[in-house]
Amino acid sequence: MFGAACVALGMLIVIIAFLVKKDQISNNFKETAFFDRVFGNTPTFIGEQDSKSKPTAVTNGDEVILNLRGGENEEEGDGSAEEQLPSVPEDNTAKVTINELKGEQQPKEESVSAEIVRKEEPAVKTEPEKAPKQEPQKVTAPKTAPKPPAKTELQLCFTVIDADGTVVRKMIKRSVAKNDSPLTTAINLLLAGPDYSNTAERNLTSFIPKGTKLLGARVSNGVAYLNFSDNFEFNQEGTVGQINQLMQVVYTATNFSTVNSVQFLINGQQKKFLGEEGIRIDAPLTKSSF
């Protein structure tokens, strides 16, 4: 009696285990072909159970779409498939890669962020083309001949010797550049003698001793103080020569409106006579002195 109860209990456990693991057991019978080898054919419920419980796979490239619900009857099964597989969307399908079915980890696609760096060249400021600068035309005034220096006429006193030997006073004019010392210029021209290159002066003579130099000239109160070198004191023509040399200087100097008379000086000294026994020159001489 006890033995029969144990057998019945064992059969009940087998039946409960079969009902709980029905899908898995059916699959095992199907895969091992147990009924084919023992009885010669497989029962219909084993074949149907296999198609119901086994998820359908649809390949799409390297992805496999599985129907994890095991057919229309959602109550069959113990829920182990839902625990082992990812959540299934409402359309009863899930996309699983072939590598995942093989237990291989799907290689992660390397995210390559291609950052295109565009190196912008610095903007070159292009200035608008400027019209070529036109240089102002230089207006050159026509070249004019330089103005000649202002001229002035000086009167010089020379002498002319007639055929009978008479000495005659002769006044001539010289055109010279105007300056601030016309008296000094006139006396120096007189000391240089006649200009024999000029036809009008070829017959003129001078009794002033050669080599005489004017050492200074000044005018004060109408008197021209003229200082001569030693040569002026010695005249080879004697008294006639001395009178004419003095006369030439006095007439030349008094031709200026500011000069009335001439005081002669030799080396800066006022002497009584010109030479040892010549003409007295210790006082100013005028034109009336001759």
Side-chain angles (χ1 to χ4, degrees):
M1 184 69 179
F2 178 76
C6 290
V7 172
L9 180 61
M11 291 295 293
L12 181 61
I13 293 172
V14 171
I15 292 171
I16 293 172
F18 179 79
L19 292 176
V20 174
K21 298 292 184 178
K22 180 179 61 176
D23 293 339
Q24 186 175 357
I25 294 170
S26 297
N27 289 333
N28 290 335
F29 284 150
K30 179 67 175 177
E31 292 177 359
T32 58
F34 173 78
F35 288 98
D36 287 339
R37 286 183 292 177
V38 176
F39 299 103
N41 61 353
T42 301
T44 305
F45 75 93
I46 296 297
E48 292 177 355
Q49 181 66 28
D50 181 61
S51 61
K52 291 179 181 179
S53 60
K54 192 173 183 179
T56 59
V58 180
T59 60
N60 183 13
D62 60 349
E63 295 181 349
V64 178
I65 303 175
L66 298 179
N67 186 350
L68 301 179
R69 298 297 181 182
E72 296 178 357
N73 188 6
E74 296 180 358
E75 295 179 357
E76 296 180 358
D78 57 358
S80 60
E82 293 182 358
E83 295 175 358
Q84 295 176 1
L85 296 176
S87 60
V88 181
E90 293 181 357
D91 60 355
N92 298 333
T93 61
K95 293 183 180 180
V96 182
T97 62
I98 293 176
N99 290 334
E100 291 177 350
L101 290 177
K102 291 180 180 180
E104 297 178 359
Q105 187 176 0
Q106 180 71 11
K108 295 182 179 180
E109 295 183 359
E110 296 181 359
S111 59
V112 180
S113 60
E115 183 179 357
I116 301 175
V117 180
R118 182 176 181 182
K119 186 177 182 181
E120 297 184 357
E121 296 182 357
V124 179
K125 294 182 179 180
T126 57
E127 296 182 357
E129 294 184 359
K130 296 181 180 180
K133 186 183 292 185
Q134 295 182 354
E135 296 183 357
Q137 296 181 353
K138 295 180 179 180
V139 179
T140 56
K143 292 183 178 180
T144 56
K147 293 181 179 181
K151 296 286 186 178
T152 184
E153 285 188 346
L154 301 179
Q155 293 191 23
L156 307 180
C157 181
F158 290 104
T159 60
V160 176
I161 300 176
D162 290 341
D164 58 357
T166 304
V167 177
V168 180
R169 184 179 61 252
K170 179 69 174 179
M171 299 295 297
I172 57 111
K173 292 182 179 180
R174 291 273 187 91
S175 179
V176 297
K178 195 173 184 179
N179 56 64
D180 296 334
S181 304
L183 176 60
T184 301
T185 302
I187 299 301
N188 284 327
L189 290 175
L190 180 65
L191 296 179
D195 182 10
Y196 293 114
S197 63
N198 188 352
T199 304
E201 298 184 18
R202 288 179 181 177
N203 296 326
L204 300 181
T205 60
S206 177
F207 284 92
I208 299 175
K210 293 182 179 180
T212 300
K213 294 181 179 180
L214 179 65
L215 302 179
R218 64 184 180 86
V219 177
S220 178
N221 296 324
V223 179
Y225 293 86
L226 302 178
N227 184 20
F228 294 97
S229 62
D230 293 338
N231 293 41
F232 188 79
E233 193 175 359
F234 304 101
N235 195 309
Q236 296 179 355
E237 302 298 329
T239 303
V240 175
Q242 291 177 348
I243 293 172
N244 284 291
Q245 76 180 71
L246 294 174
M247 182 264 302
Q248 287 181 240
V249 173
V250 170
Y251 271 81
T252 299
T254 56
N255 188 60
F256 294 95
S257 59
T258 57
V259 178
N260 297 321
S261 61
V262 175
Q263 176 63 63
F264 290 92
L265 302 174
I266 306 297
N267 284 332
Q269 297 180 1
Q270 183 176 338
K271 292 189 175 183
K272 189 175 182 178
F273 295 98
L274 183 62
E276 293 182 358
E277 296 180 358
I279 309 295
R280 293 191 64 167
I281 56 173
D282 56 348
L285 299 179
T286 63
K287 292 181 179 179
S288 60
S289 301
F290 304 96

